[in-house]
Amino acid sequence: MHLARFPRIALGHFPTPLEKLENLTRALGGPNIYIKRDDCTGLATGGNKTRKLEFLVAEAIAQGADTLVTQGATQSNHVRQTAAAARKVGMTCHALLERRVGNMGDGYETGGNVLFDDLLKCHYEFRPDGVDMNAEALALTEALREKGRNPYFIPGGGSNTIGALGYVHAAQELVYQADTSGLKIDKIVHATGSAGTQAGILAGLFAMSTPIDVIGISVRAKRDAQIANVHKLAVATADMIGARGELPVETVEAYDEYVGPGYGQPTDSMVDAISMLAAEEGIFLDPVYSGKGMAGMIGLINQGVLKKGENVVFVHTGGAAALPAYEHLFTKQQRA
């Protein structure tokens, strides 16, 4: 596995820290909990998409692109980071935002990540819930091409084989950090959505013959669908980097009990998880991905799936920029 074979541009701050959460470990009384701080990647407040964009934007540059086109939900962390990457390399960004989450108040479509999209001069349009967003974004890509632009399409979440290379690299980085500090990792836990993060980690570990369990906490899809999506992309990514053998579907673990009413919809366990990590460790999670991922990890500790004495790494995928759009769930301020 030699990732230097693939074009890459520096957009983030790496390696991200690997820290032990002493207070949270003590409070939960279960495994030793560590956190991989991919909220600290640096690009427009950071997040996991920066790793993917280093490879995706490099390919866009190689193709002579002048515009990045992508899509996501209204409070998309991916759109924010893609817009920032575009500005950093002198491109424009066009994005489609899906109204997946309703009943969140007027500020939901103007605050949080959408505010950052405005600051980054991202050209965005809204689409209704339930449409094929990648198809809509591809149509926008063709429309821009007809107008004389040279657009480069990035699927939702940056989750294709090129984007997944970012988390192949993250797997290498994490294993190196663990090895140099004498840490034997038993489990990795993170929120899983568009599949690129989990698929990249799995492909990277598989290529290195590193037997660490990777547990995805689904934020949208049902368990079987999520496993199928992750496995398909992990196999394609492993093949692209030259890993030997077939990555078994049994290596893909996903839990769907923490989605709640739907993608981006609040749950009590998410609110409790965000509040707990902030109070215990001074670290902010986000309400769509990492908050539900942490809720899942806490649930698995309480169920005994993650056991005392194990070393568990939680991958913080970022997204605290979305918290102001969910202010009513956390604020104690009384409005006049």
Side-chain angles (χ1 to χ4, degrees):
M1 183 172 67
H2 186 40
L3 293 184
R5 294 179 295 134
F6 303 98
R8 182 183 176 192
I9 183 171
L11 294 172
H13 301 164
F14 302 109
T16 57
L18 175 63
E19 307 169 357
K20 186 173 184 183
L21 299 179
E22 298 280 4
N23 296 336
L24 189 66
T25 296
R26 187 163 48 249
L28 292 174
N32 302 307
I33 303 170
Y34 296 79
I35 189 167
K36 179 64 169 159
R37 296 292 303 274
D38 273 13
D39 59 319
C40 297
T41 57
L43 183 67
T45 79
N48 64 324
K49 309 305 181 184
T50 300
R51 289 189 185 272
K52 303 177 183 182
L53 288 163
E54 290 202 328
F55 290 91
L56 291 161
V57 175
E59 183 175 76
I61 292 171
Q63 294 180 9
D66 56 22
T67 306
L68 301 180
V69 180
T70 195
Q71 59 88 4
T74 298
Q75 284 295 326
S76 172
N77 299 315
H78 165 66
V79 169
R80 167 186 31 95
Q81 289 165 87
T82 302
R87 302 315 304 171
K88 194 170 180 68
V89 299
M91 296 186 192
T92 58
C93 180
H94 288 253
L96 299 180
L97 301 178
E98 184 183 4
R99 288 185 164 115
R100 294 182 197 171
V101 183
N103 305 317
M104 293 297 291
D106 295 338
Y108 192 76
E109 292 190 355
T110 57
N113 278 309
V114 182
L115 172 61
F116 285 109
D117 295 339
D118 285 326
L119 288 170
L120 294 164
K121 302 187 184 305
C122 178
H123 304 275
Y124 59 84
E125 305 170 22
F126 289 96
R127 293 289 188 272
D129 179 36
V131 301
D132 185 333
M133 288 296 288
N134 277 334
E136 292 281 313
L138 281 167
L140 174 60
T141 302
E142 290 308 309
L144 289 167
R145 185 170 286 114
E146 290 174 3
K147 292 179 180 179
R149 305 304 297 268
N150 187 13
Y152 177 85
F153 168 69
I154 298 175
S159 292
N160 57 17
T161 52
I162 299 297
L165 291 174
Y167 270 86
V168 172
H169 179 260
Q172 288 182 315
E173 181 181 295
L174 177 58
V175 170
Y176 176 79
Q177 288 175 310
D179 286 346
T180 55
S181 63
L183 171 65
K184 176 186 175 294
I185 301 172
D186 296 298
K187 305 279 175 58
I188 296 171
V189 180
H190 66 95
T192 183
S194 59
T197 298
Q198 189 171 9
I201 293 173
L202 284 168
L205 294 176
F206 179 70
M208 292 185 290
S209 299
T210 305
I212 299 174
D213 290 342
V214 181
I215 299 173
I217 307 298
S218 180
V219 300
R220 187 177 189 184
K222 293 293 186 181
R223 177 183 178 275
D224 289 347
Q226 189 65 21
I227 287 174
N229 291 339
V230 170
H231 183 248
K232 180 180 179 180
L233 183 54
V235 167
T237 305
D239 182 64
M240 186 171 71
I241 62 176
R244 296 180 179 178
E246 180 83 8
L247 194 153
V249 68
E250 292 78 18
T251 63
V252 185
E253 297 181 56
Y255 289 81
D256 61 8
E257 295 90 342
Y258 302 90
V259 175
Y263 175 92
Q265 294 289 348
T267 63
D268 290 343
S269 63
M270 173 273 290
V271 172
D272 290 345
I274 290 177
S275 300
M276 185 176 196
L277 192 65
E280 295 291 344
E281 301 286 355
I283 297 173
F284 299 126
L285 300 171
D286 88 289
V288 179
Y289 293 93
S290 55
K292 288 186 177 180
M294 178 61 72
M297 188 185 76
I298 293 171
L300 295 178
I301 291 171
N302 292 336
Q303 295 166 34
V305 175
L306 302 175
K307 301 176 176 59
K308 193 174 184 66
E310 290 183 325
N311 295 319
V312 176
V313 174
F314 179 80
V315 180
H316 187 345
T317 50
L323 278 172
Y326 291 77
E327 174 189 4
H328 62 286
L329 299 174
F330 301 97
T331 185
K332 297 185 183 303
Q333 300 297 322
Q334 298 297 315
R335 301 195 188 281

